[in-house]
Amino acid sequence: MQQDLTPKAKHLIFVGGGHAHALALLMMAMKKPEGVKITLISNAIQTPYSGMLPGLIAGHYSFDEAHIDLGRLCRFAGVNFIEDYVTGIDPDNQTVHCRNHPDFSYDVLSIDTGSVPGHNQLPGAMGGQSRSSL
Ligand SMILES: Cc1cc2nc3c(=O)[nH]c(=O)nc-3n(C[C@H](O)[C@H](O)[C@H](O)COP(=O)(O)OP(=O)(O)OC[C@H]3O[C@@H](n4cnc5c(N)ncnc54)[C@H](O)[C@@H]3O)c2cc1C
């Protein structure tokens, strides 16, 4: 029996489809890296371009104009797209845990999940608070 000497492709997982990963995907669509299988896991298919958010609210742009379609971008870049929320990472076993999928194994992991403002620590940000309670 002949031995398969083809090097096994490394699995690179992108967690989160934010601005940084969207740009990386675009670059990979233009020049696909060799010997690597890539998976993007993001809880949102449409990622907003924040710089256009005020214009979206003002009605200058449509939803589609102000959002990047990650599913389409992944198809273009030859990247697997998984729509799910990542709930944990196990660096010892090199696995990613998701809400609705079995674990994914990775060789290399890149995390770009952005940041979330601490609304509950910002006086008035949750709404309904009177000035006297601040
Ligand atoms: C109104 C507004 C205007 C802005 N204008 C500018 C500007 O003009 N210039 C500028 O430089 N910056 C601007 N910013 C800041 C800029 O948007 C952020 O710095 C940038 O979006 C951060 O990019 P990121 O890739 O880190 O994450 P993000 O763009 O926040 O993306 C994070 C992604 O990860 C996904 N995600 C999060 N958690 C999980 C999880 N557990 N599992 C799976 N997926 C997950 C989210 O769905 C999202 O798609 C602006 C921000 C706002 C709100």
Side-chain angles (χ1 to χ4, degrees), residues 15-21 41-44 47 50-51 53-54 70 84-86 112-115:
V15 174
H19 289 39
H21 277 169
I41 309 173
S42 184
N43 62 321
T47 200
S50 54
L53 200 57
L70 293 172
D84 207 342
Y85 191 84
V86 171
D112 173 28
T113 49
S115 56

PDB file of all heavy atoms in Angstrom, residues 15-21 41-44 47 50-51 53-54 70 84-86 112-115, ligand 1:
ATOM      1  N   VAL A  15     -12.096  33.383  14.965  1.00  0.00           N
ATOM      2  CA  VAL A  15     -13.277  33.546  15.829  1.00  0.00           C
ATOM      3  C   VAL A  15     -13.698  35.008  15.768  1.00  0.00           C
ATOM      4  O   VAL A  15     -12.934  35.896  16.133  1.00  0.00           O
ATOM      5  CB  VAL A  15     -12.967  33.132  17.292  1.00  0.00           C
ATOM      6  CG1 VAL A  15     -14.161  33.437  18.200  1.00  0.00           C
ATOM      7  CG2 VAL A  15     -12.619  31.659  17.369  1.00  0.00           C
ATOM      8  N   GLY A  16     -14.927  35.235  15.288  1.00  0.00           N
ATOM      9  CA  GLY A  16     -15.459  36.606  15.174  1.00  0.00           C
ATOM     10  C   GLY A  16     -15.162  37.200  13.810  1.00  0.00           C
ATOM     11  O   GLY A  16     -14.060  37.057  13.285  1.00  0.00           O
ATOM     12  N   GLY A  17     -16.174  37.822  13.251  1.00  0.00           N
ATOM     13  CA  GLY A  17     -16.024  38.402  11.906  1.00  0.00           C
ATOM     14  C   GLY A  17     -15.975  39.909  11.956  1.00  0.00           C
ATOM     15  O   GLY A  17     -16.724  40.583  11.251  1.00  0.00           O
ATOM     16  N   GLY A  18     -15.103  40.437  12.789  1.00  0.00           N
ATOM     17  CA  GLY A  18     -14.988  41.894  12.903  1.00  0.00           C
ATOM     18  C   GLY A  18     -14.169  42.492  11.773  1.00  0.00           C
ATOM     19  O   GLY A  18     -13.821  41.814  10.801  1.00  0.00           O
ATOM     20  N   HIS A  19     -13.888  43.782  11.930  1.00  0.00           N
ATOM     21  CA  HIS A  19     -13.182  44.521  10.889  1.00  0.00           C
ATOM     22  C   HIS A  19     -11.855  43.859  10.501  1.00  0.00           C
ATOM     23  O   HIS A  19     -11.535  43.717   9.330  1.00  0.00           O
ATOM     24  CB  HIS A  19     -12.884  45.949  11.370  1.00  0.00           C
ATOM     25  CG  HIS A  19     -14.093  46.821  11.462  1.00  0.00           C
ATOM     26  ND1 HIS A  19     -15.309  46.370  11.905  1.00  0.00           N
ATOM     27  CD2 HIS A  19     -14.259  48.130  11.156  1.00  0.00           C
ATOM     28  CE1 HIS A  19     -16.178  47.362  11.874  1.00  0.00           C
ATOM     29  NE2 HIS A  19     -15.572  48.452  11.420  1.00  0.00           N
ATOM     30  N   ALA A  20     -11.084  43.442  11.510  1.00  0.00           N
ATOM     31  CA  ALA A  20      -9.744  42.896  11.241  1.00  0.00           C
ATOM     32  C   ALA A  20      -9.837  41.597  10.434  1.00  0.00           C
ATOM     33  O   ALA A  20      -9.113  41.414   9.447  1.00  0.00           O
ATOM     34  CB  ALA A  20      -9.005  42.668  12.557  1.00  0.00           C
ATOM     35  N   HIS A  21     -10.749  40.689  10.853  1.00  0.00           N
ATOM     36  CA  HIS A  21     -10.882  39.424  10.124  1.00  0.00           C
ATOM     37  C   HIS A  21     -11.489  39.633   8.737  1.00  0.00           C
ATOM     38  O   HIS A  21     -11.133  38.922   7.789  1.00  0.00           O
ATOM     39  CB  HIS A  21     -11.726  38.425  10.931  1.00  0.00           C
ATOM     40  CG  HIS A  21     -10.924  37.702  11.973  1.00  0.00           C
ATOM     41  ND1 HIS A  21     -11.493  36.939  12.954  1.00  0.00           N
ATOM     42  CD2 HIS A  21      -9.574  37.637  12.172  1.00  0.00           C
ATOM     43  CE1 HIS A  21     -10.532  36.409  13.709  1.00  0.00           C
ATOM     44  NE2 HIS A  21      -9.362  36.844  13.273  1.00  0.00           N
ATOM     45  N   ILE A  41     -15.760  31.456  12.379  1.00  0.00           N
ATOM     46  CA  ILE A  41     -16.943  31.237  13.223  1.00  0.00           C
ATOM     47  C   ILE A  41     -17.384  32.601  13.749  1.00  0.00           C
ATOM     48  O   ILE A  41     -16.623  33.281  14.446  1.00  0.00           O
ATOM     49  CB  ILE A  41     -16.643  30.306  14.425  1.00  0.00           C
ATOM     50  CG1 ILE A  41     -15.958  29.006  13.960  1.00  0.00           C
ATOM     51  CG2 ILE A  41     -17.928  29.998  15.189  1.00  0.00           C
ATOM     52  CD1 ILE A  41     -15.481  28.116  15.101  1.00  0.00           C
ATOM     53  N   SER A  42     -18.569  33.010  13.366  1.00  0.00           N
ATOM     54  CA  SER A  42     -19.080  34.297  13.833  1.00  0.00           C
ATOM     55  C   SER A  42     -20.567  34.177  14.111  1.00  0.00           C
ATOM     56  O   SER A  42     -21.275  33.450  13.406  1.00  0.00           O
ATOM     57  CB  SER A  42     -18.823  35.389  12.787  1.00  0.00           C
ATOM     58  OG  SER A  42     -19.235  36.646  13.300  1.00  0.00           O
ATOM     59  N   ASN A  43     -21.034  34.857  15.129  1.00  0.00           N
ATOM     60  CA  ASN A  43     -22.462  34.756  15.455  1.00  0.00           C
ATOM     61  C   ASN A  43     -23.310  35.614  14.526  1.00  0.00           C
ATOM     62  O   ASN A  43     -24.522  35.505  14.525  1.00  0.00           O
ATOM     63  CB  ASN A  43     -22.709  35.155  16.916  1.00  0.00           C
ATOM     64  CG  ASN A  43     -22.316  36.584  17.200  1.00  0.00           C
ATOM     65  OD1 ASN A  43     -21.315  37.051  16.690  1.00  0.00           O
ATOM     66  ND2 ASN A  43     -23.092  37.272  17.997  1.00  0.00           N
ATOM     67  N   ALA A  44     -22.659  36.464  13.722  1.00  0.00           N
ATOM     68  CA  ALA A  44     -23.415  37.322  12.800  1.00  0.00           C
ATOM     69  C   ALA A  44     -22.894  37.115  11.380  1.00  0.00           C
ATOM     70  O   ALA A  44     -21.682  37.082  11.166  1.00  0.00           O
ATOM     71  CB  ALA A  44     -23.253  38.780  13.210  1.00  0.00           C
ATOM     72  N   THR A  47     -21.790  41.768   9.199  1.00  0.00           N
ATOM     73  CA  THR A  47     -21.035  42.529  10.198  1.00  0.00           C
ATOM     74  C   THR A  47     -21.080  44.011   9.817  1.00  0.00           C
ATOM     75  O   THR A  47     -20.856  44.370   8.659  1.00  0.00           O
ATOM     76  CB  THR A  47     -19.593  41.971  10.335  1.00  0.00           C
ATOM     77  OG1 THR A  47     -19.042  42.385  11.568  1.00  0.00           O
ATOM     78  CG2 THR A  47     -18.669  42.368   9.220  1.00  0.00           C
ATOM     79  N   SER A  50     -18.698  50.081  11.127  1.00  0.00           N
ATOM     80  CA  SER A  50     -19.084  51.066  12.140  1.00  0.00           C
ATOM     81  C   SER A  50     -18.983  52.507  11.662  1.00  0.00           C
ATOM     82  O   SER A  50     -19.788  53.354  12.062  1.00  0.00           O
ATOM     83  CB  SER A  50     -18.243  50.873  13.395  1.00  0.00           C
ATOM     84  OG  SER A  50     -16.868  50.908  13.059  1.00  0.00           O
ATOM     85  N   GLY A  51     -18.001  52.786  10.802  1.00  0.00           N
ATOM     86  CA  GLY A  51     -17.834  54.157  10.310  1.00  0.00           C
ATOM     87  C   GLY A  51     -19.068  54.654   9.567  1.00  0.00           C
ATOM     88  O   GLY A  51     -19.298  55.866   9.475  1.00  0.00           O
ATOM     89  N   LEU A  53     -22.195  53.688  10.430  1.00  0.00           N
ATOM     90  CA  LEU A  53     -23.368  53.547  11.300  1.00  0.00           C
ATOM     91  C   LEU A  53     -24.161  54.851  11.451  1.00  0.00           C
ATOM     92  O   LEU A  53     -25.403  54.844  11.312  1.00  0.00           O
ATOM     93  CB  LEU A  53     -22.934  53.009  12.669  1.00  0.00           C
ATOM     94  CG  LEU A  53     -24.007  52.374  13.534  1.00  0.00           C
ATOM     95  CD1 LEU A  53     -24.703  51.215  12.823  1.00  0.00           C
ATOM     96  CD2 LEU A  53     -23.401  51.899  14.846  1.00  0.00           C
ATOM     97  N   PRO A  54     -23.490  55.998  11.712  1.00  0.00           N
ATOM     98  CA  PRO A  54     -24.269  57.252  11.807  1.00  0.00           C
ATOM     99  C   PRO A  54     -25.044  57.537  10.514  1.00  0.00           C
ATOM    100  O   PRO A  54     -26.185  57.989  10.559  1.00  0.00           O
ATOM    101  CB  PRO A  54     -23.193  58.316  12.068  1.00  0.00           C
ATOM    102  CG  PRO A  54     -22.044  57.555  12.650  1.00  0.00           C
ATOM    103  CD  PRO A  54     -22.063  56.212  11.979  1.00  0.00           C
ATOM    104  N   LEU A  70     -20.481  38.411   5.453  1.00  0.00           N
ATOM    105  CA  LEU A  70     -19.363  37.494   5.723  1.00  0.00           C
ATOM    106  C   LEU A  70     -19.508  36.168   4.986  1.00  0.00           C
ATOM    107  O   LEU A  70     -18.507  35.570   4.575  1.00  0.00           O
ATOM    108  CB  LEU A  70     -19.253  37.233   7.229  1.00  0.00           C
ATOM    109  CG  LEU A  70     -18.850  38.430   8.095  1.00  0.00           C
ATOM    110  CD1 LEU A  70     -18.962  38.073   9.564  1.00  0.00           C
ATOM    111  CD2 LEU A  70     -17.426  38.878   7.768  1.00  0.00           C
ATOM    112  N   ASP A  84     -22.272  30.807  14.369  1.00  0.00           N
ATOM    113  CA  ASP A  84     -22.483  30.327  15.736  1.00  0.00           C
ATOM    114  C   ASP A  84     -21.779  31.272  16.712  1.00  0.00           C
ATOM    115  O   ASP A  84     -20.938  32.087  16.307  1.00  0.00           O
ATOM    116  CB  ASP A  84     -21.935  28.896  15.901  1.00  0.00           C
ATOM    117  CG  ASP A  84     -22.665  28.126  16.998  1.00  0.00           C
ATOM    118  OD1 ASP A  84     -23.323  28.768  17.846  1.00  0.00           O
ATOM    119  OD2 ASP A  84     -22.582  26.889  16.997  1.00  0.00           O
ATOM    120  N   TYR A  85     -22.137  31.109  17.959  1.00  0.00           N
ATOM    121  CA  TYR A  85     -21.527  31.909  19.023  1.00  0.00           C
ATOM    122  C   TYR A  85     -20.491  31.052  19.737  1.00  0.00           C
ATOM    123  O   TYR A  85     -20.803  29.950  20.185  1.00  0.00           O
ATOM    124  CB  TYR A  85     -22.633  32.358  19.996  1.00  0.00           C
ATOM    125  CG  TYR A  85     -22.193  33.391  20.976  1.00  0.00           C
ATOM    126  CD1 TYR A  85     -22.192  34.744  20.636  1.00  0.00           C
ATOM    127  CD2 TYR A  85     -21.756  33.034  22.250  1.00  0.00           C
ATOM    128  CE1 TYR A  85     -21.769  35.699  21.538  1.00  0.00           C
ATOM    129  CE2 TYR A  85     -21.335  33.980  23.152  1.00  0.00           C
ATOM    130  CZ  TYR A  85     -21.350  35.317  22.792  1.00  0.00           C
ATOM    131  OH  TYR A  85     -20.918  36.267  23.685  1.00  0.00           O
ATOM    132  N   VAL A  86     -19.266  31.535  19.808  1.00  0.00           N
ATOM    133  CA  VAL A  86     -18.202  30.788  20.494  1.00  0.00           C
ATOM    134  C   VAL A  86     -18.365  31.003  21.999  1.00  0.00           C
ATOM    135  O   VAL A  86     -18.419  32.144  22.470  1.00  0.00           O
ATOM    136  CB  VAL A  86     -16.810  31.242  20.005  1.00  0.00           C
ATOM    137  CG1 VAL A  86     -15.706  30.623  20.860  1.00  0.00           C
ATOM    138  CG2 VAL A  86     -16.617  30.854  18.546  1.00  0.00           C
ATOM    139  N   ASP A 112     -10.985  37.679  17.077  1.00  0.00           N
ATOM    140  CA  ASP A 112     -11.328  39.073  16.751  1.00  0.00           C
ATOM    141  C   ASP A 112     -12.806  39.279  17.053  1.00  0.00           C
ATOM    142  O   ASP A 112     -13.636  39.369  16.162  1.00  0.00           O
ATOM    143  CB  ASP A 112     -11.023  39.330  15.264  1.00  0.00           C
ATOM    144  CG  ASP A 112     -11.517  40.696  14.808  1.00  0.00           C
ATOM    145  OD1 ASP A 112     -11.596  41.611  15.653  1.00  0.00           O
ATOM    146  OD2 ASP A 112     -11.827  40.834  13.618  1.00  0.00           O
ATOM    147  N   THR A 113     -13.099  39.275  18.347  1.00  0.00           N
ATOM    148  CA  THR A 113     -14.510  39.370  18.745  1.00  0.00           C
ATOM    149  C   THR A 113     -14.887  40.785  19.181  1.00  0.00           C
ATOM    150  O   THR A 113     -15.977  41.001  19.716  1.00  0.00           O
ATOM    151  CB  THR A 113     -14.809  38.376  19.891  1.00  0.00           C
ATOM    152  OG1 THR A 113     -13.811  38.529  20.892  1.00  0.00           O
ATOM    153  CG2 THR A 113     -14.807  36.938  19.395  1.00  0.00           C
ATOM    154  N   GLY A 114     -13.997  41.727  18.948  1.00  0.00           N
ATOM    155  CA  GLY A 114     -14.311  43.117  19.276  1.00  0.00           C
ATOM    156  C   GLY A 114     -14.429  43.336  20.775  1.00  0.00           C
ATOM    157  O   GLY A 114     -13.900  42.562  21.571  1.00  0.00           O
ATOM    158  N   SER A 115     -15.118  44.393  21.136  1.00  0.00           N
ATOM    159  CA  SER A 115     -15.292  44.705  22.554  1.00  0.00           C
ATOM    160  C   SER A 115     -16.746  45.111  22.785  1.00  0.00           C
ATOM    161  O   SER A 115     -17.445  45.511  21.858  1.00  0.00           O
ATOM    162  CB  SER A 115     -14.357  45.843  22.970  1.00  0.00           C
ATOM    163  OG  SER A 115     -14.595  46.966  22.140  1.00  0.00           O
TER     164      SER A 115
HETATM  165  C1  LIG B   1     -20.526  54.320  15.650  1.00  0.00           C
HETATM  166  C2  LIG B   1     -19.092  53.882  15.560  1.00  0.00           C
HETATM  167  C3  LIG B   1     -18.229  54.520  14.679  1.00  0.00           C
HETATM  168  C4  LIG B   1     -16.886  54.135  14.579  1.00  0.00           C
HETATM  169  N1  LIG B   1     -16.099  54.776  13.684  1.00  0.00           N
HETATM  170  C5  LIG B   1     -14.818  54.426  13.570  1.00  0.00           C
HETATM  171  C6  LIG B   1     -13.977  55.082  12.626  1.00  0.00           C
HETATM  172  O1  LIG B   1     -14.414  55.953  11.885  1.00  0.00           O
HETATM  173  N2  LIG B   1     -12.671  54.698  12.547  1.00  0.00           N
HETATM  174  C7  LIG B   1     -12.181  53.693  13.367  1.00  0.00           C
HETATM  175  O2  LIG B   1     -10.986  53.380  13.255  1.00  0.00           O
HETATM  176  N3  LIG B   1     -12.969  53.055  14.267  1.00  0.00           N
HETATM  177  C8  LIG B   1     -14.249  53.382  14.403  1.00  0.00           C
HETATM  178  N4  LIG B   1     -15.029  52.745  15.308  1.00  0.00           N
HETATM  179  C9  LIG B   1     -14.440  51.662  16.115  1.00  0.00           C
HETATM  180  C10 LIG B   1     -14.409  50.379  15.304  1.00  0.00           C
HETATM  181  O3  LIG B   1     -15.726  50.001  14.939  1.00  0.00           O
HETATM  182  C11 LIG B   1     -13.854  49.269  16.147  1.00  0.00           C
HETATM  183  O4  LIG B   1     -12.563  49.629  16.573  1.00  0.00           O
HETATM  184  C12 LIG B   1     -13.767  48.004  15.295  1.00  0.00           C
HETATM  185  O5  LIG B   1     -15.045  47.602  14.872  1.00  0.00           O
HETATM  186  C13 LIG B   1     -13.187  46.899  16.104  1.00  0.00           C
HETATM  187  O6  LIG B   1     -13.030  45.834  15.186  1.00  0.00           O
HETATM  188  P1  LIG B   1     -12.868  44.382  15.658  1.00  0.00           P
HETATM  189  O7  LIG B   1     -12.465  43.607  14.429  1.00  0.00           O
HETATM  190  O8  LIG B   1     -11.985  44.302  16.843  1.00  0.00           O
HETATM  191  O9  LIG B   1     -14.317  43.872  16.153  1.00  0.00           O
HETATM  192  P2  LIG B   1     -15.795  44.181  15.711  1.00  0.00           P
HETATM  193  O10 LIG B   1     -15.863  44.955  14.452  1.00  0.00           O
HETATM  194  O11 LIG B   1     -16.523  44.677  16.926  1.00  0.00           O
HETATM  195  O12 LIG B   1     -16.381  42.719  15.385  1.00  0.00           O
HETATM  196  C14 LIG B   1     -16.488  41.681  16.308  1.00  0.00           C
HETATM  197  C15 LIG B   1     -17.208  40.514  15.615  1.00  0.00           C
HETATM  198  O13 LIG B   1     -17.113  39.350  16.402  1.00  0.00           O
HETATM  199  C16 LIG B   1     -18.390  38.739  16.512  1.00  0.00           C
HETATM  200  N5  LIG B   1     -18.419  38.081  17.818  1.00  0.00           N
HETATM  201  C17 LIG B   1     -18.364  38.682  19.055  1.00  0.00           C
HETATM  202  N6  LIG B   1     -18.363  37.760  20.023  1.00  0.00           N
HETATM  203  C18 LIG B   1     -18.419  36.546  19.406  1.00  0.00           C
HETATM  204  C19 LIG B   1     -18.440  35.200  19.878  1.00  0.00           C
HETATM  205  N7  LIG B   1     -18.381  34.909  21.192  1.00  0.00           N
HETATM  206  N8  LIG B   1     -18.524  34.194  18.969  1.00  0.00           N
HETATM  207  C20 LIG B   1     -18.557  34.461  17.645  1.00  0.00           C
HETATM  208  N9  LIG B   1     -18.520  35.716  17.130  1.00  0.00           N
HETATM  209  C21 LIG B   1     -18.452  36.744  17.999  1.00  0.00           C
HETATM  210  C22 LIG B   1     -19.415  39.864  16.379  1.00  0.00           C
HETATM  211  O14 LIG B   1     -20.643  39.394  15.896  1.00  0.00           O
HETATM  212  C23 LIG B   1     -18.711  40.766  15.350  1.00  0.00           C
HETATM  213  O15 LIG B   1     -19.018  40.359  14.034  1.00  0.00           O
HETATM  214  C24 LIG B   1     -16.374  53.100  15.418  1.00  0.00           C
HETATM  215  C25 LIG B   1     -17.254  52.442  16.303  1.00  0.00           C
HETATM  216  C26 LIG B   1     -18.592  52.808  16.383  1.00  0.00           C
HETATM  217  C27 LIG B   1     -19.517  52.086  17.330  1.00  0.00           C
END
